Amino acid sequence: MSNPKVLLITPPFTQLNTPYPGTCYLKGYLNTLGVASYQVDLGIEVIQRLFSRAGLMDLFAVQAEGHLSPNAQRIFHLREDYIATVDAVIRFLQHKNPTLAYSIAEREFLPEASRFDQLTDLEWAFGSLGVQDKARHLATLYLEDLADYIKEAVDPHFGFSRYAERLGMSASSFDEMNEALQAPLSHIDEILLSVLEEIITKQQPNMLCLSVPFPGNLYGAFRCGQYIKAKYPHMAVVMGGGYPNTELRSISDSRVFRYIDYITLDDGERPIQHLLEHVFGDRVLENLKRTFALVEGVVVYLDGSKDRDVPFSQTGTPDYEDLALDRYLSVLEVANPMHRLWSDGRWNKLTMAHGCYWKKCSFCDISLDYIKNYEPVSATILCNRMEEQMAQTGETGFHFVDEAAPPALMRELALEILRRKLVVTWWTNIRFESRFSPDLCRLLKASGCIAVSGGLEVASDRLLEKMKKGVTVEQVAQVTQNFTESGIMVHAYLMYGFPTQTDQETIDSLEMVRQLFMHGVIQSGFWHQFAMTAHAPAGLEPESFGVERVGPVFEGFANNDLQHLDASGADHIRYSEGLKKSLFNYMHGLCFDYTLQEWFDFNVPETSIPSHFIEQALATNEGTYINDSSRLVWLGAVPTLSYYEKRKKGKVTQRVRLSVEMKSYVVEVTAPLEEGEWLRNRLAEMAISAKEKTIFSALRTSYEEEFGQPVERLFQSQAWNDLRNAGLLIV
């Protein structure tokens, strides 16, 4: 290849607080090839231009289209206040101006429009949180007011985490998107393209890669491609990412290729490498990999390459270079605790394993590469990548973006983090399976894990079996108890409207959720209605799930979201408001005594779930399962020994006291002399830093040979139980 330079772009908009990692992953791989690249998040760049003193002056100078609502008129009349405060607010949300919090929190500094109407009781919403959090929430509402004005008066497509999302959702035809792209540029479009032009002028790339993870990035991607094709026709324009991977696998509309040259599917590393070889003369078109292109006016799928995909362990470390990390905004909403993690602060993004180790769920895209091809990497490689990212970004927080992180790898990662003494904070997505024992959860917590999210989906054992989730409600309750008692927050994805789900099952599912929150084993949740997709078992064989596919008719563009008729199920949509309202209250610890009927304005059946179902499930939690290969891990320091004599009825016995300095307290354990010294030596062998691991069968053999007693005698001792509570784990 002759001196390629790749421009990697995330079109607007994704998140305000952290970069979407698609371009970082691709840049990391290009580094291994020695290919020069530059990446940019156009979303944060546009936000930075728009929400500035000069940006708002330009915005309010735009002639509003049509009659403005009273709220938009109020914002326009307060425009001088917005212009005067916006730079300070943005700096505050970038953690560059923290003392402004006191002025914001007093409610005298910021202009306020309709978003502030929801603040009927700020103290109730925030509890005992401090002035910084209150101020960040108020600053977030201030930005949302401005966004409302932009949508109404300037650009109806605008949104902080999505741009013209409606045009990309369920778009079986390209007609509407094409029409929007032929319309005059909006004010936001003009900002976007001016930023793009500056970057191209400075970087001089010869290939443009557009990473499109969501429908809300699609319009911005096409606008960028349209501009490049018109002004820089020599530059190859490539689109990839989550949206093409799921939506555009059957694309046949040639009009799409007026705006881009290529669309790649699934993992982008090898397809981009092959495209570089093709564009710069080393590979024929037919031998590309998983790539759509326009050939003689017809859309053609090109997959003649014999090269395998790049092993996940060889894709390189995701690289955040070039991204303006100090420009991202830590906004604060109060929707739920997990959404706060998502939107507050900046997280380095990594993946423990490509694909999903379970890959059976009937609502999931298990036929696609990003799910079905499971390939983990070692804990050593993961920690190497973590250290590289920390050195580059200065951030120690990690979001592992796995479909479902494997418990065994999570254990090894936690051990490696502790062995290296890395000070990190991390969270990920999991399946609520029984391997997450109390001890494993304590180990994960010790390594810096603060939260997990997982799919409870429909809290009905019949439907969970139909989904092939591989869990039961009882099991979910016990696993979430293990996480919660270790200090790890639990977020549950909740689903309603699964094929054949009845009114009774919907109400029973809500009752399960009520009990789970009431007993404090789940702290956060979110309801979403089941969506049938073309690549999931439910979409591929709808008749097997008792429903009928009724649309949409494919018209050459997107093919993923399907319409279906569920003749035997409930009228699911009418449950939406009641489910979400009840959940909001449960997350705040309220209204557990309300009848379920009180959340709905229509008659619902009484629940058939016993009122103590979750309580009984928690009471039967068997705790940590132990087998011969279980590993023993001691999280504390090696104990110091002090010797003393114990006299009882004239008899003197030699005893030993084991003292362990923990972070906030001292653990003292007493034992007979020989047993105490044996325990001390075993704890040294179980330490994180020990070169050899100690497994349960070895411990049992050692104890029984040393003392001639079954190891159960040790387990019944006070010393053993005290050490277990202090940090002796069996994982």
Side-chain angles (χ1 to χ4, degrees):
M1 292 183 285
S2 55
N3 300 321
K5 184 169 185 181
V6 182
L7 177 59
L8 305 165
I9 283 180
T10 304
F13 295 101
T14 50
Q15 290 176 256
L16 291 176
N17 65 305
T18 195
Y20 191 81
T23 60
C24 304
Y25 278 70
L26 200 51
K27 183 177 179 69
Y29 178 64
L30 292 177
N31 291 344
T32 69
L33 302 179
V35 173
S37 64
Y38 185 87
Q39 64 181 328
V40 62
D41 177 356
L42 286 180
I44 200 64
E45 296 294 334
V46 170
I47 292 295
Q48 190 80 12
R49 301 286 179 93
L50 180 59
F51 292 94
S52 66
R53 182 181 182 87
L56 289 191
M57 290 176 69
D58 290 343
L59 175 73
F60 287 118
V62 176
Q63 182 66 40
E65 297 183 8
H67 178 71
L68 294 181
S69 68
N71 184 61
Q73 291 180 40
R74 171 175 170 77
I75 293 172
F76 184 78
H77 291 316
L78 289 170
R79 62 190 180 279
E80 293 300 329
D81 292 299
Y82 283 104
I83 291 168
T85 54
V86 66
D87 285 343
V89 170
I90 292 297
R91 285 180 56 79
F92 171 70
L93 291 173
Q94 292 169 336
H95 298 288
K96 297 175 182 176
N97 190 15
T99 56
L100 189 65
Y102 297 98
S103 297
I104 293 175
E106 290 175 359
R107 304 282 299 277
E108 298 289 337
F109 178 71
L110 298 179
E112 299 183 3
S114 64
R115 292 285 181 156
F116 287 77
D117 294 345
Q118 63 189 267
L119 291 175
T120 54
D121 189 345
L122 187 62
E123 292 299 329
W124 176 83
F126 283 98
S128 60
L129 293 182
V131 66
Q132 291 286 334
D133 282 346
K134 291 180 182 179
R136 279 197 292 131
H137 181 60
L138 293 171
T140 302
L141 297 179
Y142 163 95
L143 291 183
E144 290 175 342
D145 274 335
L146 284 170
D148 290 342
Y149 177 83
I150 294 169
K151 288 191 70 170
E152 182 176 342
V154 179
D155 188 342
H157 293 320
F158 182 76
F160 279 122
S161 60
R162 56 191 62 87
Y163 190 31
E165 182 181 51
R166 183 184 59 81
L167 297 178
M169 295 184 69
S170 304
S172 59
S173 168
F174 192 60
D175 289 349
E176 194 172 3
M177 177 67 76
N178 192 57
E179 182 179 345
L181 292 168
Q182 298 308 310
L185 296 177
S186 71
H187 182 67
I188 306 301
D189 291 340
E190 290 174 348
I191 297 174
L192 165 65
L193 298 181
S194 69
V195 174
L196 179 60
E197 174 60 32
E198 290 176 15
I199 294 166
I200 291 173
T201 300
K202 183 176 181 180
Q203 298 299 325
Q204 296 293 306
N206 42 31
M207 176 180 280
L208 172 67
C209 292
L210 297 160
S211 176
V212 184
F214 308 116
N217 303 98
L218 187 65
Y219 172 81
F222 279 128
R223 273 299 191 198
C224 291
Q226 181 184 44
Y227 181 82
I228 297 298
K229 297 277 279 184
K231 190 166 183 182
Y232 300 95
H234 64 280
M235 191 185 308
V237 181
V238 187
M239 179 188 289
Y243 184 88
N245 292 348
T246 55
E247 303 277 348
L248 304 183
R249 304 186 76 88
S250 305
I251 190 166
S252 60
D253 194 325
S254 62
R255 293 176 297 172
V256 173
F257 292 88
R258 297 173 185 172
Y259 308 99
I260 56 176
D261 296 304
Y262 306 98
I263 295 174
T264 67
L265 300 182
D266 302 326
D267 293 348
E269 289 86 359
R270 193 70 82 196
I272 292 299
Q273 181 183 357
H274 285 2
L275 273 169
L276 285 166
E277 293 167 353
H278 168 68
V279 169
F280 296 95
D282 299 325
R283 179 177 289 268
V284 298
L285 186 68
E286 292 76 15
N287 286 345
L288 294 179
K289 191 171 187 70
R290 294 193 305 271
T291 300
F292 285 104
L294 195 65
V295 180
E296 297 181 355
V298 178
V299 179
V300 176
Y301 183 62
L302 304 158
D303 194 28
S305 170
K306 302 300 182 183
D307 296 338
R308 299 179 62 185
D309 275 307
V310 181
F312 189 46
S313 59
Q314 298 174 23
T315 55
T317 300
D319 187 348
Y320 284 87
E321 188 180 0
D322 313 323
L323 295 173
L325 300 179
D326 62 340
R327 294 186 185 179
Y328 287 88
L329 312 180
S330 282
V331 295
L332 181 56
E333 305 170 40
V334 291
N336 65 49
M338 183 57 75
H339 286 185
R340 174 173 181 176
L341 271 186
W342 182 259
S343 63
D344 180 17
R346 212 201 61 70
W347 300 93
N348 298 318
K349 303 292 182 81
L350 283 174
T351 309
M352 295 187 205
H354 179 285
C356 177
Y357 68 95
W358 180 249
K359 51 189 173 188
K360 295 179 183 178
C361 298
S362 57
F363 56 83
C364 189
D365 294 337
I366 62 175
S367 66
L368 298 186
D369 173 82
Y370 80 98
I371 299 291
K372 71 178 181 180
N373 291 334
Y374 175 65
E375 184 184 355
V377 295
S378 69
T380 300
I381 291 175
L382 283 172
C383 278
N384 289 344
R385 291 176 175 177
M386 293 173 75
E387 291 186 306
E388 287 181 49
Q389 287 194 346
M390 286 191 290
Q392 182 181 63
T393 68
E395 302 284 352
T396 59
F398 290 86
H399 176 198
F400 290 96
V401 294
D402 294 68
E403 297 300 319
L409 182 52
M410 290 175 70
R411 178 190 67 184
E412 295 307 310
L413 175 63
L415 290 169
E416 186 67 10
I417 288 172
L418 292 168
R419 187 186 68 79
R420 298 192 191 194
K421 295 182 170 57
L422 301 183
V423 180
V424 296
T425 303
W426 61 277
W427 56 289
T428 191
N429 193 53
I430 64 160
R431 293 182 64 251
F432 292 122
E433 61 168 274
S434 57
R435 282 185 285 178
F436 288 110
S437 65
D439 279 20
L440 177 54
C441 293
R442 290 174 67 192
L443 177 69
L444 299 176
K445 175 66 175 178
S447 73
C449 180
I450 59 168
V452 294
S453 57
L456 172 55
E457 317 305 351
V458 179
S460 156
D461 285 344
R462 180 187 80 86
L463 292 172
L464 287 172
E465 183 177 358
K466 194 176 186 68
M467 291 177 178
K468 298 185 178 179
K469 280 292 292 184
V471 299
T472 64
V473 177
E474 179 182 46
Q475 178 181 323
V476 170
Q478 293 169 351
V479 171
T480 56
Q481 178 186 36
N482 296 341
F483 277 111
T484 297
E485 291 184 349
S486 73
I488 295 174
M489 184 180 77
V490 179
H491 172 86
Y493 297 113
L494 305 168
M495 182 188 294
Y496 64 101
F498 191 77
T500 71
Q501 182 176 349
T502 64
D503 294 278
Q504 185 68 60
E505 286 171 325
T506 301
I507 290 301
D508 287 350
S509 182
L510 177 57
E511 172 61 14
M512 291 290 200
V513 170
R514 184 192 72 85
Q515 292 186 31
L516 287 164
F517 274 96
M518 184 174 68
H519 288 285
V521 294
I522 290 178
Q523 296 76 49
S524 174
F526 186 79
W527 286 104
H528 64 276
Q529 188 173 357
F530 167 76
M532 179 180 285
T533 60
H535 313 294
L540 293 168
E541 298 180 358
E543 63 281 355
S544 299
F545 294 85
V547 295
E548 178 186 357
R549 175 179 172 174
V550 294
V553 176
F554 178 63
E555 297 182 60
F557 187 53
N559 178 33
N560 189 40
D561 291 342
L562 306 179
Q563 301 159 4
H564 67 280
L565 180 65
D566 185 358
S568 61
D571 182 3
H572 305 300
I573 191 65
R574 66 177 183 164
Y575 281 94
S576 176
E577 183 178 351
L579 291 173
K580 293 174 182 177
K581 187 185 298 183
S582 60
L583 182 62
F584 179 83
N585 283 276
Y586 295 160
M587 284 194 293
H588 286 86
L590 302 172
C591 303
F592 293 124
D593 57 340
Y594 280 32
T595 66
L596 301 186
Q597 176 64 67
E598 293 182 67
W599 300 116
F600 304 95
D601 58 5
F602 56 92
N603 288 329
V604 300
E606 290 188 8
T607 182
S608 65
I609 303 300
S611 60
H612 298 293
F613 182 91
I614 297 299
E615 181 181 3
Q616 291 172 353
L618 300 178
T620 57
N621 189 343
E622 296 181 355
T624 297
Y625 174 76
I626 302 173
N627 60 34
D628 281 351
S629 61
S630 297
R631 179 173 178 178
L632 289 96
V633 176
W634 171 239
L635 297 179
V638 176
T640 58
L641 301 183
S642 57
Y643 299 89
Y644 67 98
E645 294 180 347
K646 182 177 181 180
R647 298 177 182 272
K648 186 175 183 180
K649 295 181 180 180
K651 185 178 180 181
V652 178
T653 56
Q654 299 295 318
R655 295 184 64 83
V656 65
R657 179 176 291 107
L658 293 81
S659 299
V660 184
E661 297 285 347
M662 308 299 285
K663 290 181 179 178
S664 58
Y665 60 97
V666 178
V667 175
E668 290 195 342
V669 174
T670 61
L673 176 62
E674 294 81 4
E675 190 169 298
E677 291 179 336
W678 179 88
L679 271 173
R680 190 262 183 205
N681 293 334
R682 298 296 80 73
L683 290 174
E685 294 171 355
M686 299 173 197
I688 295 289
S689 58
K691 293 182 179 180
E692 301 292 332
K693 65 180 182 180
T694 299
I695 61 174
F696 178 74
S697 60
L699 178 85
R700 179 177 57 198
T701 299
S702 173
Y703 184 84
E704 293 179 354
E705 288 180 352
E706 184 79 17
F707 301 105
Q709 298 284 343
V711 76
E712 285 73 20
R713 175 175 173 269
L714 172 66
F715 296 163
Q716 294 166 6
S717 69
Q718 187 64 45
W720 179 263
N721 289 323
D722 289 345
L723 291 170
R724 291 278 283 128
N725 291 332
L728 174 53
L729 307 181
I730 304 176
V731 294

